[in-house]
Amino acid sequence: MKVISENRCFGGVQTVCSHDSDTCGVEMTFAVYMPPQAKDGPVPVLWYLSGLTCTHENAMTKGGFQEHAADHGLALVFPDTSPRGNGVADDQAYDLGQGAGFYVNATRAPWRPNFQMYDYVLSELRGIITGNFPVVDRHGVTGHSMGGHGALTMALRNPDLFDSVSAFAPIANPTQSDWGRKQLSEYLGDDESAWSCYDSSILLEEHGWKGDILIDQGASDQFLDLLRPEALAHVMTKRRQPGLIRMQPGYDHSYYFVSTFAGDHVDWHAARLKRMASGLGLN
């Protein structure tokens, strides 16, 4: 692991690192914020998965999460959204290829050698974080748009690894949306039965979630029809799944929306992660 930069931030430290990834086969970059409380002992972790075209940097600089994380004593992890570089498959469209990994494990050429973002975030990067930073094994996950899709699918498939989950304007039903069908067919092939494990509406209906879920969605989001929050709301109602889906009047899909409600989401995760950590006598 190589440290690219370190900056003091709300009493803690914002770090950007890179490493050679065995999972993705290229050098990957990620960012970690350690709050001031980490000087006194390990802290819980909140993962933030970014959306289409983003890198590790977008939420780190625009999301406004660090101040809230410092208040609660949470570490933040900002992974990149895809492998990058010469020799990595790409597409001219902004919603496929580099910057658009969709948090899946690709099984088709030319994507398969590098586009293994599901395993990268869930296993390799998680191991790097827990092995190199003062954190306890209590993890929450959130994300925006494509990253909200990633956060929900990873948590719903791995309730043993995540203790809390939320999302900002997630792609909630990608198997039935143009933001999903295009990418899932490219990365996974035409057999739609292989897509369902990356669709949070399907996963929630099949498996539920052990706790409650927080979703914020801008009511004036220009991509609302592609995101399909109504599918997730229908499943939550059908299963009587505890949680909130909040339609926020006047808000769009931008980081102005994300930063407005970042504090609510950090509060949400902090309450659940600290409760879990306290129950284990870790904090």
Side-chain angles (χ1 to χ4, degrees), residues 71-135:
D71 288 342
H72 288 290
L74 293 185
L76 299 169
V77 180
F78 304 98
D80 201 349
T81 56
S82 79
R84 301 176 189 272
N86 295 331
V88 176
D90 200 8
D91 190 272
Q92 291 183 345
Y94 75 95
D95 58 355
L96 185 68
Q98 295 187 35
F102 260 75
Y103 302 100
V104 304
N105 287 336
T107 58
R108 287 188 67 196
W111 315 105
R112 182 174 180 174
N114 305 112
F115 282 74
Q116 303 293 317
M117 289 301 295
Y118 181 86
D119 280 352
Y120 172 71
V121 172
L122 199 66
S123 299
E124 185 175 20
L125 185 55
R126 184 185 177 104
I128 289 172
I129 298 301
T130 57
N132 291 278
F133 295 90
V135 299

Side-chain angles (χ1 to χ4, degrees), residues 60-193:
M60 182 184 80
T61 59
K62 298 179 182 179
F65 288 91
Q66 291 93 334
E67 182 176 8
H68 307 294
D71 288 342
H72 288 290
L74 293 185
L76 299 169
V77 180
F78 304 98
D80 201 349
T81 56
S82 79
R84 301 176 189 272
N86 295 331
V88 176
D90 200 8
D91 190 272
Q92 291 183 345
Y94 75 95
D95 58 355
L96 185 68
Q98 295 187 35
F102 260 75
Y103 302 100
V104 304
N105 287 336
T107 58
R108 287 188 67 196
W111 315 105
R112 182 174 180 174
N114 305 112
F115 282 74
Q116 303 293 317
M117 289 301 295
Y118 181 86
D119 280 352
Y120 172 71
V121 172
L122 199 66
S123 299
E124 185 175 20
L125 185 55
R126 184 185 177 104
I128 289 172
I129 298 301
T130 57
N132 291 278
F133 295 90
V135 299
V136 297
D137 194 20
R138 294 288 125 193
H139 299 257
V141 61
T142 189
H144 175 227
S145 192
M146 179 185 73
H149 140 78
L152 289 167
T153 55
M154 287 189 183
L156 292 171
R157 290 175 63 180
N158 301 277
D160 56 326
L161 297 182
F162 294 101
D163 302 294
S164 57
V165 61
S166 72
F168 300 82
I171 302 174
N173 191 202
T175 62
Q176 302 302 317
S177 168
D178 288 343
W179 265 2
R181 294 188 64 83
K182 170 186 176 179
Q183 293 83 2
L184 294 174
S185 62
E186 279 286 332
Y187 294 141
L188 304 176
D190 295 329
D191 180 3
E192 296 189 19
S193 65

Side-chain angles (χ1 to χ4, degrees), residues 35-50:
Q37 294 88 340
K39 293 181 293 186
D40 300 319
V43 296
V45 187
L46 177 57
W47 294 73
Y48 180 94
L49 307 185
S50 291

